[in-house]
Amino acid sequence: MSHDLSRRTVLGGAGAVVVTSALAPVAKAAEARLDRDTDFGTGWRFALANPDGVTDPGGRFADAAKPKFDDSTWQVVDVPHDWSIELPPVEKGTFSGSGFFRGGLGWYRKTFVVPPEAAGKRVSVEFDGVYSDAHVHLNGELLGHHPYAYTGFAFDLTGRLHTDGRTPNVLAVRAVNPLPSSRWYSGSGIFRRVRLVVTEPVHIARHGTFVTTPGIAAGRGTVRVATDVVNDSRAPVTAVVRTTVSDSAGRVKAKGATTVTIAPGRTATAVTTQTVPDPQRWSPGTPTLYRVRTEVAGCDTATTDFGFRHFTFHPDNGFSLNGVPTKLRGVNLHASQGALGAVIDPAALEHQLRLMLAMGVNALRTAHNPPDPQLVTLCDRLGILLMVEAFDCWRTGKLEFDYHRDFDEWSGRDIAEMVHAAKNSPSVVLWSIGNEVPDASMAGGPAIAAALIKTVRDIDPTRPVIMGSDRYRSVPAPGSPQDLILRQLDGLGVNYNTAQSLDGLHAAYPDKFFFESESSSETSTRGVYQDPDLLNTGENHVPGKRAASSYDNNLASWTFSGEYSLKKDRDRKFCQGQFLWAGQDYLGEPTPYDAFPVKTSFFGAVDSAGLPKDAFHLFRSQWTTAPMVHLAPMDWTGHAPGEPVAVWVYSTVDTVELVLNGRSLGTKTFDRKATVDGRAYLETSEPTGDDKNDPSGSYTSPNGGTGKLHLSWTVPFERGTLTAIARADGREVARDELVTAGPPSAVTLSAAPRGEGAMAFVTASVVDAQGVVVPGAELALRFTVGGPGRLAGVDNGRQESAQGYQQPTVATFRGQAVAIVAATGGRGPITVTASAPGLTSGSTTVPGTNLGQRNGPGARAVELPEVPVVLAANASYAGAPDTLPAAMLDGNPATGWSNFYLKPATATLPAVSRPRPADWVSLVWPTPQRFGEIVANFVLDATLVLPDTVAVFYRGTQGSAPVSNLKISWGTGSNDPTTFSFDPVTATEVFVSMTTRGFLRISGLLAR
């Protein structure tokens, strides 16, 4: 059941142009014909009035809504459009939640003419979303405003338009994004589609068709179609409403008809019921769609897609779809597309969703707002279940300028719009009234929840109403706001609950169903690894090295490892499933770092460029059944000879052999186990130490088992080939291979298949002479595009980067980067080339498409090279944000560098603070310096010690080398410094490398 009316029926002629933009030659009125629905995305002009505030400095745009205002110098843009992503990230005036992108005040204007045939018609303009507080004007007259960015809205233009085919009309939209308005990157502007809708006075209402399938019996399916028909004429009308049901091949399966009488100025509902023989069920595996064509005879026609399916959320037995028990294997995704910002392109959405499907995903939560209608359509087509969510806050806000300011006046209308827009979608199975809302634990919360729940159920009584919350980590007290709200809901999504708290809620509320609306939130950086023997690691805060370990072992205080979350959900039949936070890294919320230029989150199973991390393969190993095996780390190059490397293997197969350079390192197997209700799974059998709440100290399944979801080896590094071979019944069924890379030699390109839209994704890899990706390569690539296309954006997945996205150059990260290429219209091939100094360039082609836009993302890109970070001091590791290397140079003995860290306890793990065995600090100069002595002021106390050993290296014109004749004079602390003297050297950087059994702190470091 699709969310959306297809309004493509032509009124007054077949296939045509509704309006003619005043930016192009005006068509003769007699040649223009009126479509019911016309895309209104091209030919807009845009001005960013103020990127740093929502006021109009100097009043330059005071008359921007008036028809005669001169917009000739404004930028020509196509919408959807996001002005924030076109700006470079900056630290001043922004904050990390927005990804350090600016918002401000923007104006859009579209000039168009309407032919005389529109006289007597009903004309409206429909927006799918504007960020935010859209004020819409026509010919200088304010039509109205719409505050919420994520719900659609429409304004009636009838009687206000010039319809002589000559006089221009001007549609003007004012949008603002006051910072902070969102906890994550939101984008700014008309970031979703716009349409012009032309109908007869008697017509189908906006969102006026509701298709349900109340009976799906063996061999037949009942289709009920309720159609709201509007009579905007001056006389009563008796209308015949006909409905035709067709399958995906267009074959008619059933028909119905009824008559309805409508008073002038009123709306009446026509209901038809028909039976479809042998209906094919919609499901994630077989997303079969049907279509209803609704005709108000002689007046209006619309089509609506829907699907036959039935589902149950049972408090004890879990979720079932079409009678088949099914766990929700879900992800959370914010409404942004990496380098495209908040611009919605269907091909970009499909690319993202297919990545999720490859991980085994069958469900998506629209965190934390109503989705773009195109996302719902794609989920219908691809077979992805949807939890559609309304708000991130209610009356009590989380930020100064978030939705709380408009909640009381607008929430009823906005949540109704959310339901109406997606009510026909077979993918939608849950309506969520909010996420982690503070009001859930306040006295007024139950009344707010009751009003929202009633609004949803009045429109759609066929789906459960729930919310996602972090305020149920223990069983609520009877009569508390949390208790009163939960008793009104059909079920509850919990965010970051322990296994024990989930069991407690299930026991206390046996008539409610529970699932994890946010699970894990483990943080990681693609290709970065640290402390595999620790369940939680301390982060590195050195500028340029801010990254999180991919061994599933970097957790914030409220989060859990991916393995713990998978086991917790797996073992509980009553748990309907989980939604991983998050499917993909997104702009903003850069946990665990709140520092410029860290501008994206670390939570994703894939990075912001769409390149999978190890977490992708962990979840894939549990959520898919086809044979697969994956090696972590994804780097068999950046290690020292003989260095012990922790090798983890994820697999859907129980037996894996590890081979290094043709030599077997042994075969290991998962044990075959079963949940208490008989579902089979693979797991090792060993203490995991991952749950301090369990008497054993390890997460223990209800069947008494404990273990890991990966196999592990410790391998002394040697160059060559490391291979994991998965075998079933003695036969190889999957393998993964890592090869030591040589020096960079070339750039290779590969393009992912493009869906229906303008965007194609091209991955560039820096490879050696044998074609092996060089994981340490961080080389600047330049992309060029030829043919009917342009570069829309670039990304490398690195969370810490001061560079903007919409420009032709980007440095590779872990050897790779991604270019997003937009078609500009035309069927010829689009050629993409990537080059880097000293390397063989790479090229590939993608097909052109007439769906392209000439003035979409990247069309106005200006190359702004990333400002290099100028270091005066550096270090391998800093344990806290206030102990950066530069603090050794400020002359203040109270500040300094340190490798000390204290990782706070989580709900399942104790706090950890363990000295690293070795670290280094350095001094850096832009020009060579000559010196023969380093003076270090070590701070000593009960925790901080002197190093056990020290080595000094320097970098000069001939590379790096150890100093000669090193002599150490140990001091006793800050007031008695330690001196390292050696034969004088000339260098641009000098390193002091230290081993230790305790933590180190240096308050001052000087070369002389």
Side-chain angles (χ1 to χ4, degrees):
M1 293 177 283
S2 172
H3 64 288
D4 186 31
L5 292 176
S6 174
R7 302 171 182 246
R8 297 296 177 188
T9 300
V10 175
L11 300 180
V17 180
V18 177
V19 296
T20 304
S21 170
L23 296 175
V26 178
K28 294 180 181 179
E31 296 176 353
R33 292 167 296 187
L34 296 176
D35 285 344
R36 188 189 200 277
D37 176 75
T38 296
D39 179 79
F40 228 39
T42 60
W44 291 81
R45 288 193 180 271
F46 167 73
L48 181 53
N50 184 357
D52 299 309
V54 297
T55 59
D56 177 7
R60 294 181 298 122
F61 297 89
D63 296 328
K66 294 181 179 180
K68 295 188 181 299
F69 182 86
D70 182 8
D71 61 11
S72 61
T73 61
W74 289 17
Q75 295 175 338
V76 178
V77 301
D78 293 336
V79 300
H81 172 252
D82 173 7
W83 80 67
S84 289
I85 201 67
E86 297 178 346
L87 304 173
V90 294
E91 186 171 13
K92 183 179 179 181
T94 63
F95 73 122
S96 62
S98 69
F100 299 105
F101 286 92
R102 291 177 286 175
L105 166 65
W107 275 96
Y108 295 84
R109 285 168 54 96
K110 182 176 176 68
T111 302
F112 60 100
V113 295
V114 178
E117 286 80 0
K121 309 285 189 183
R122 304 299 301 183
V123 184
S124 62
V125 61
E126 294 189 1
F127 295 82
D128 284 343
V130 178
Y131 203 102
S132 61
D133 196 21
H135 284 69
V136 181
H137 306 76
L138 178 69
N139 298 329
E141 177 187 355
L142 178 64
L143 299 174
H145 79 288
H146 186 85
Y148 196 31
Y150 298 104
T151 48
F153 58 96
F155 290 117
D156 188 9
L157 309 183
T158 308
R160 298 180 172 93
L161 284 167
H162 304 299
T163 59
D164 57 10
R166 298 183 304 275
T167 307
N169 295 280
V170 177
L171 191 67
V173 180
R174 179 186 185 272
V176 297
N177 181 3
L179 300 180
S181 64
S182 173
R183 295 189 297 121
W184 56 92
Y185 177 85
S186 63
S188 304
I190 305 177
F191 71 149
R192 293 180 177 178
R193 294 177 302 176
V194 185
R195 293 172 300 283
L196 197 71
V197 179
V198 182
T199 70
E200 298 291 347
V202 177
H203 58 95
I204 299 168
R206 180 171 178 268
H207 301 318
T209 303
F210 190 17
V211 183
T212 55
T213 55
I216 308 176
R220 60 188 179 87
T222 301
V223 181
R224 182 182 186 272
V225 184
T227 306
D228 293 336
V229 183
V230 180
N231 180 9
D232 281 329
S233 74
R234 297 180 179 180
V237 171
T238 299
V240 177
V241 180
R242 300 186 181 94
T243 52
T244 303
V245 180
S246 302
D247 65 13
S248 58
R251 295 180 293 250
V252 174
K253 293 296 182 179
K255 292 184 176 182
T258 190
T259 301
V260 61
T261 300
I262 317 148
R266 305 300 293 272
T267 299
T269 302
V271 177
T272 64
T273 302
Q274 41 266 305
T275 300
V276 173
D278 299 319
Q280 300 298 305
R281 310 289 175 88
W282 184 97
S283 71
T286 56
T288 304
L289 294 173
Y290 288 77
R291 175 166 291 179
V292 167
R293 182 178 186 270
T294 303
E295 179 186 3
V296 180
C299 297
D300 200 4
T301 304
T303 60
T304 307
D305 290 343
F306 73 100
F308 289 97
R309 54 98 177 100
H310 61 88
F311 61 86
T312 302
F313 287 92
H314 192 280
D316 293 319
N317 298 326
F319 176 68
S320 64
L321 180 64
N322 299 322
V324 180
T326 305
K327 281 277 190 180
L328 296 176
R329 304 188 302 270
V331 292
N332 289 271
L333 290 175
H334 276 313
S336 60
Q337 292 290 304
L340 299 177
V343 168
I344 296 297
D345 174 80
L349 283 175
E350 183 169 343
H351 176 73
Q352 183 185 51
L353 293 178
R354 288 196 180 277
L355 281 170
M356 299 300 103
L357 288 169
M359 190 169 68
V361 165
N362 67 6
L364 167 65
R365 178 191 185 202
T366 67
H368 302 291
N369 44 255
D372 185 284
Q374 295 176 96
L375 174 64
V376 181
T377 297
L378 276 168
C379 288
D380 290 345
R381 179 164 64 83
L382 297 177
I384 299 174
L385 299 162
L386 273 173
M387 169 182 167
V388 174
E389 192 152 71
F391 311 117
D392 190 47
C393 67
W394 293 347
R395 184 173 295 146
T396 302
K398 301 174 182 178
L399 297 171
E400 182 179 0
F401 299 112
D402 65 14
Y403 186 69
H404 76 278
R405 300 178 303 157
D406 302 301
F407 182 83
D408 284 341
E409 181 180 355
W410 284 90
S411 60
R413 283 174 281 182
D414 283 329
I415 202 168
E417 172 71 17
M418 176 190 82
V419 177
H420 278 304
K423 65 189 176 186
N424 293 309
S425 166
S427 60
V428 176
V429 293
L430 291 168
W431 299 121
S432 170
I433 61 174
N435 168 69
E436 296 185 353
V437 293
D439 295 285
S441 54
M442 298 180 179
I448 295 174
L452 297 174
I453 293 168
K454 182 179 186 305
T455 300
V456 174
R457 288 177 177 161
D458 284 349
I459 299 169
D460 176 24
T462 70
R463 297 174 176 90
V465 182
I466 55 88
M467 73 177 184
S469 184
D470 59 344
R471 294 169 188 265
Y472 291 84
R473 293 177 185 167
S474 59
V475 175
S480 66
Q482 292 98 315
D483 173 65
L484 296 176
I485 290 174
L486 180 50
R487 294 190 184 282
Q488 298 179 67
L489 296 167
D490 297 303
L492 180 69
V494 297
N495 294 357
Y496 314 115
N497 281 45
T498 64
Q500 294 82 1
S501 65
L502 197 56
D503 290 339
L505 288 169
H506 175 58
Y509 297 90
D511 60 333
K512 304 296 180 184
F513 66 83
F514 294 91
F515 64 98
E516 291 188 274
S517 42
E518 291 181 27
S519 69
S520 183
S521 256
E522 178 263 342
T523 47
S524 62
T525 300
R526 176 174 55 87
V528 173
Y529 304 91
Q530 181 183 330
D531 299 327
D533 57 325
L534 288 180
L535 295 173
N536 202 3
T537 62
E539 291 89 15
N540 192 348
H541 291 270
V542 174
K545 298 182 176 69
R546 297 181 178 109
S549 174
S550 276
Y551 277 124
D552 193 26
N553 66 340
N554 188 265
L555 308 175
S557 60
W558 68 90
T559 65
F560 302 90
S561 71
E563 292 204 14
Y564 179 91
S565 297
L566 284 160
K567 293 185 291 186
K568 175 178 58 175
D569 172 43
R570 176 199 68 197
D571 290 337
R572 286 159 177 79
K573 184 179 182 181
F574 74 81
C575 186
Q576 318 291 311
Q578 64 176 302
F579 291 86
L580 169 66
W581 193 274
Q584 184 170 9
D585 285 352
Y586 52 90
L587 295 172
E589 283 195 311
T591 304
Y593 301 102
D594 187 9
F596 184 83
V598 187
K599 62 180 186 291
T600 75
S601 76
F602 290 70
F603 300 116
V606 302
D607 66 23
S608 60
L611 300 172
K613 307 182 195 177
D614 295 284
F616 175 94
H617 300 284
L618 164 61
F619 279 81
R620 179 182 167 215
S621 73
Q622 304 303 304
W623 284 356
T624 66
T625 57
M628 60 79 59
V629 63
H630 172 75
L631 282 164
M634 296 188 288
D635 175 358
W636 200 246
T637 301
H639 309 280
E643 175 188 347
V645 180
V647 176
W648 291 13
V649 171
Y650 300 121
S651 183
T652 57
V653 182
D654 65 351
T655 302
V656 179
E657 181 184 15
L658 194 65
V659 177
L660 177 61
N661 293 328
R663 183 176 72 256
S664 177
L665 302 181
T667 296
K668 296 191 177 184
T669 61
F670 290 105
D671 290 328
R672 294 183 175 273
K673 301 180 181 180
T675 62
V676 292
D677 58 296
R679 290 171 288 118
Y681 64 93
L682 299 178
E683 185 181 77
T684 67
S685 293
E686 57 188 305
T688 55
D690 59 352
D691 192 354
K692 64 186 180 183
N693 305 300
D694 192 278
S696 70
S698 299
Y699 171 83
T700 305
S701 299
N703 63 12
T706 183
K708 298 177 180 179
L709 302 183
H710 67 271
L711 302 171
S712 58
W713 286 257
T714 299
V715 182
F717 177 73
E718 65 180 58
R719 296 178 63 84
T721 302
L722 182 71
T723 307
I725 303 171
R727 294 188 174 92
D729 300 322
R731 180 175 59 89
E732 179 180 331
V733 292
R735 70 165 53 201
D736 190 22
E737 191 170 85
L738 300 173
V739 180
T740 304
S745 174
V747 181
T748 62
L749 298 182
S750 62
R754 182 178 59 208
E756 296 181 3
M759 306 299 172
F761 289 74
V762 178
T763 299
S765 301
V766 175
V767 299
D768 67 7
Q770 307 305 315
V772 177
V773 175
V774 183
E778 296 191 5
L779 304 176
L781 295 184
R782 175 176 292 275
F783 289 94
T784 57
V785 178
R790 69 168 183 281
L791 191 66
V794 293
D795 193 5
N796 59 14
R798 183 174 187 165
Q799 293 113 341
E800 182 183 18
S801 171
Q803 181 177 316
Y805 291 106
Q806 296 190 353
Q807 60 179 44
T809 58
V810 64
T812 56
F813 178 64
R814 309 304 301 169
Q816 294 185 301
V818 171
I820 305 175
V821 178
T824 54
R827 291 295 183 180
I830 302 169
T831 302
V832 185
T833 302
S835 59
L839 304 184
T840 301
S841 299
S843 292
T844 191
T845 60
V846 296
T849 171
N850 289 332
L851 297 174
Q853 293 183 333
R854 295 191 177 277
N855 298 297
R860 291 157 303 283
V862 176
E863 185 169 2
L864 296 172
E866 185 169 6
V867 178
V869 177
V870 179
L871 297 175
N874 201 358
S876 57
Y877 180 89
D882 61 348
T883 60
L884 304 185
M888 298 184 296
L889 310 179
D890 63 5
N892 184 354
T895 63
W897 164 85
S898 180
N899 61 2
F900 174 82
Y901 74 91
L902 174 62
K903 197 66 186 289
T906 73
T908 56
L909 301 174
V912 62
S913 181
R914 189 187 73 178
R916 293 163 54 88
D919 274 306
W920 57 262
V921 295
S922 74
L923 295 171
V924 188
W925 300 276
T927 58
Q929 306 290 309
R930 187 161 181 82
F931 52 91
E933 188 175 74
I934 301 292
V935 178
N937 296 78
F938 285 94
V939 178
L940 304 178
D941 60 21
T943 302
L944 301 170
V945 300
L946 289 170
D948 295 325
T949 65
V950 171
V952 178
F953 297 82
Y954 69 98
R955 178 178 289 127
T957 57
Q958 303 301 315
S960 297
V963 299
S964 300
N965 297 317
L966 175 65
K967 297 180 176 60
I968 304 175
S969 175
W970 292 103
T972 58
S974 295
N975 296 323
D976 182 18
T978 294
T979 301
F980 310 108
S981 59
F982 41 83
D983 293 345
V985 297
T986 300
T988 56
E989 187 170 11
V990 62
F991 302 84
V992 179
S993 179
M994 301 161 285
T995 64
T996 179
R997 288 168 291 179
F999 289 110
L1000 303 171
R1001 181 181 177 95
I1002 299 176
S1003 63
L1005 190 66
L1006 173 67
R1008 60 190 185 190

